[in-house]
Amino acid sequence: MSHAPLHPDTLAIHQGRSVDPATGAITPPIHTSTTFQRDADGEYRRGHVYSRQSNPTRQSLESCLAALEGGSEALAFASGSAATMSVLQCLKPGDHVLVTDDAYHGTRHQLEQLFTRWQLNHSRVNSCDAAAVEAAIQDNTRMIWIESPSNPLQGVSDLAELSRMAKSRGLITVCDNTLATPVFQQPLKHGIDLVVHSTTKFLGGHSDLLGGAVIHGRDFSLAEVLRDIQTAGGAVPSPFDCWLLLRSLSSLGVRVRAQAASAVTLSERLAEHPAVEQVFHPMHPGHRDHERAKHYLPGGSGLLSFTVNGDSDKALAVVSRTELFTRGTSLGGVESLIEHRASIEGPGSHTPDNLIRLSIGLEQVNDLWRDLEQALSIASS
């Protein structure tokens, strides 16, 4: 067979998996053991000591995640929030973080409520504006946290420019790639140091597992710190969740391409609806970052937001009327979800009060459109 690089869709099926030599099983087993036998001389030549440190099922998952992002190594965590917290724990009291202004509210909560206790400073900045990021860098800035596309306004950052800027100053760059997934965007190839995922979302894809991941390029000193945090902190996923995620990655490409295609179709139709004020999807020509998105993540995302003509009450009324779209927080599953985002995020949210966020599933797009149309009829009246 040729040694040409494998397509990500192929890697998602084969990386981290092998036929069980003992049984011939094609599907990998779940290794639930928490501890592993030592050799007679006290060594662990088979590579595993204790499951908080490493586990064969988690090792298979981490191998697959690293390959998909084009990274050197992946570290799996029990949730996206655990992954985020572990990255921020690499910093010291007194350090400063620049974070995308409309980043996931859980990330902002950690910075605003938890890390202030150990004097980690932060500022919110429009990371889609490289000049604004440069102007916001302080003497104690250590990290630039980018969410691209952002949630829920779908802002797309110039990853290569931000990476160049950060490297010239010795700063760490982190990109939350949850919405794009490695199918549409691989931040490490643009010079980003760390990629973070909530694997609960599109990578898991079935709303039945909780997980997170951090993937690094070649900054092995930073990776060593992260591994220590992963092991000592113990926020690792269970073997079963690792197995579920590895199973889900097999269909990642076909799932997210279908979801993103439906999101594009719905964004076009929503933009023409009289009850809709503005649509937020990076592949929609009316989006402020559309041209940049065509370069960084052609296809965009299965996430879509829009504002209605009216206030929060009007938006909540629309959300309450859908039948196929389920009212729920989260995204990336095979079922479509809808929510009034500002009321979820609470005080300090930059999300407009009249914004509705959609996570597009795998339902037939015309069925989803009919559901939105009937729900929007209340906003037109």
Side-chain angles (χ1 to χ4, degrees):
M1 184 176 175
S2 168
H3 292 289
L6 295 175
H7 190 278
D9 287 1
T10 304
L11 288 172
I13 294 170
H14 290 279
Q15 184 69 35
R17 299 172 177 84
S18 59
V19 174
D20 186 352
T23 65
I26 293 176
T27 300
I30 306 173
H31 294 275
T32 59
S33 182
T34 56
T35 190
F36 300 86
Q37 186 184 45
R38 300 178 73 172
D39 299 327
D41 61 0
E43 296 298 317
Y44 286 94
R45 293 185 180 85
R46 285 164 285 189
H48 301 285
V49 177
Y50 189 69
S51 269
R52 177 163 45 81
Q53 181 180 36
S54 66
N55 173 279
T57 308
R58 190 167 92 234
Q59 185 178 60
S60 295
L61 169 64
E62 290 174 337
S63 172
C64 189
L65 290 170
L68 287 174
E69 282 289 3
S72 298
E73 180 186 17
L75 296 91
F77 291 89
S79 68
S81 294
T84 297
M85 180 165 281
S86 297
V87 171
L88 294 174
Q89 284 176 324
C90 292
L91 302 177
K92 302 187 300 295
D95 285 346
H96 175 256
V97 181
L98 285 174
V99 61
T100 297
D101 55 0
D102 68 320
Y104 170 56
H105 76 101
T107 301
R108 292 191 283 103
H109 177 81
Q110 288 188 14
L111 287 166
E112 293 168 2
Q113 303 297 324
L114 303 182
F115 281 97
T116 53
R117 298 172 187 169
W118 73 355
Q119 300 176 338
L120 185 67
N121 305 299
H122 78 281
S123 302
R124 293 164 68 169
V125 65
N126 177 11
S127 64
C128 302
D129 183 344
V133 175
E134 187 169 29
I137 294 174
Q138 303 176 10
D139 291 341
N140 61 335
T141 301
R142 177 66 176 135
M143 178 179 288
I144 301 176
W145 186 285
I146 308 155
E147 188 174 307
S148 184
S150 62
N151 179 10
L153 297 180
Q154 303 276 279
V156 179
S157 300
D158 188 337
L159 300 184
E161 174 61 20
L162 293 177
S163 171
R164 182 203 61 75
M165 181 193 305
K167 280 181 168 49
S168 70
R169 294 165 172 79
L171 308 182
I172 300 167
T173 49
V174 184
C175 180
D176 186 330
N177 201 33
T178 298
L179 299 192
T181 81
V183 173
F184 293 131
Q185 177 175 262
Q186 294 177 311
L188 298 177
K189 292 186 176 180
H190 300 291
I192 298 298
D193 296 307
L194 298 174
V195 174
V196 173
H197 281 279
S198 171
T199 58
T200 308
K201 310 302 193 300
F202 286 106
L203 298 191
H206 295 79
S207 304
D208 59 4
L209 66 89
L210 200 64
V214 181
I215 303 97
H216 72 86
R218 296 193 175 277
D219 190 339
F220 294 102
S221 59
L222 186 58
E224 185 176 352
V225 176
L226 275 167
R227 281 194 299 270
D228 188 37
I229 292 170
Q230 182 196 43
T231 300
V236 294
S238 71
F240 182 59
D241 280 341
C242 291
W243 183 89
L244 277 176
L245 180 53
L246 192 62
R247 171 218 62 180
S248 297
L249 291 176
S250 300
S251 62
L252 176 65
V254 293
R255 282 191 288 105
V256 299
R257 288 189 192 95
Q259 289 167 301
S262 291
V264 169
T265 298
L266 292 174
S267 71
E268 294 168 349
R269 295 179 184 180
L270 284 166
E272 298 298 321
H273 197 284
V276 173
E277 178 183 69
Q278 188 173 2
V279 172
F280 300 91
H281 189 275
M283 288 297 100
H284 187 265
H287 192 278
R288 67 178 188 188
D289 299 322
H290 177 62
E291 290 302 316
R292 186 181 297 152
K294 288 195 295 185
H295 170 67
Y296 278 106
L297 59 149
S301 168
L303 194 76
L304 164 65
S305 300
F306 65 96
T307 51
V308 297
N309 291 315
D311 55 13
S312 60
D313 289 339
K314 185 73 78 170
L316 283 164
V318 172
V319 169
S320 72
R321 287 174 60 93
T322 57
E323 297 171 0
L324 284 179
F325 283 88
T326 301
R327 294 185 300 278
T329 295
S330 196
L331 55 97
V334 296
E335 66 291 311
S336 293
L337 301 178
I338 187 170
E339 69 175 356
H340 177 248
R341 191 65 192 164
S343 59
I344 294 292
E345 295 181 350
S349 171
H350 281 200
T351 299
D353 284 340
N354 61 339
L355 183 138
I356 295 172
R357 193 185 78 174
L358 305 176
S359 172
I360 307 304
L362 292 178
E363 300 94 342
Q364 213 285 328
V365 67
N366 289 328
D367 292 332
L368 294 176
W369 174 241
R370 282 191 292 270
D371 191 29
L372 289 174
E373 269 194 312
Q374 64 83 23
L376 284 166
S377 64
I378 190 171
S380 301
S381 60

